[in-house]
Structure formats: C-alpha cells, structure tokens
Amino acid sequence: MKTNFAKQVLPVAVFALAIAGAFTTNAMNQRSKTIAPVQGFIKLNPQATSCEQRDMCSNINNGIVCTVGLVPNGAQLFGKNSSGQCSVPIYRP
C-alpha cells in the first residue's frame, strides 16, 4: 500500500515543485529588469566632459530626475553615455 501511494503522489509533488520553481525564477528575472541602478554624476563643466561621481540613481523614467542627496533642490545628476560624457538624464530610484 505504501509503494502504491508513493508511486501516485511523488510524481505530482515533483511536478508541483518544478512549477513553483519556474514561477519563482521568472519573478526574480522580472524584478531584476525593473530595478536598474546606475551611477549618478554631477557635471563639472558645461560640455559634460568632466564629471564627479555622486549618488546611485535609476535609468527607469518615473518623472523625477535624480539629484545630489536625492533632495528636490539638489543639483541634477546625469549618467554617462557611450563616449564617457555625463549627459544622459537619470531618475530617482
């Protein structure tokens, strides 16, 4: 009787565990895509060729630009583009 029970229940339990693992992995991947931390830089000259590293920000546009100290009246921070200039707008995390 025990072997009959194990033969019927064990495959169902393994299948349920596999499904739960798949959903958990997918949820973790989706969350990592939504959180995109980027380093924020403050411009030291108008050409944006000289920058100073400051706070961590996000490249997800939520309508609120990232500023020094994440305070509303702080200087705006920028991300670097492919040529190393700090001219890419970034947003508050």
Side-chain angles (χ1 to χ4, degrees), residues 24-92:
T24 302
T25 303
N26 187 38
M28 288 171 43
N29 286 339
Q30 294 300 322
R31 183 178 172 111
S32 68
K33 290 178 185 176
T34 60
I35 300 171
V38 293
Q39 183 63 54
F41 296 88
I42 189 167
K43 290 182 187 179
L44 298 178
N45 63 5
Q47 297 81 17
T49 55
S50 181
C51 310
E52 185 176 308
Q53 185 174 337
R54 289 298 176 128
D55 299 317
M56 292 302 290
C57 301
S58 172
N59 60 1
I60 305 297
N61 186 350
N62 61 6
I64 304 170
V65 295
C66 193
T67 57
V68 174
L70 302 176
V71 294
N73 57 352
Q76 183 176 354
L77 297 176
F78 296 90
K80 287 191 175 183
N81 61 17
S82 59
S83 62
Q85 295 176 326
C86 49
S87 60
V88 178
I90 52 177
Y91 305 93
R92 189 172 183 172

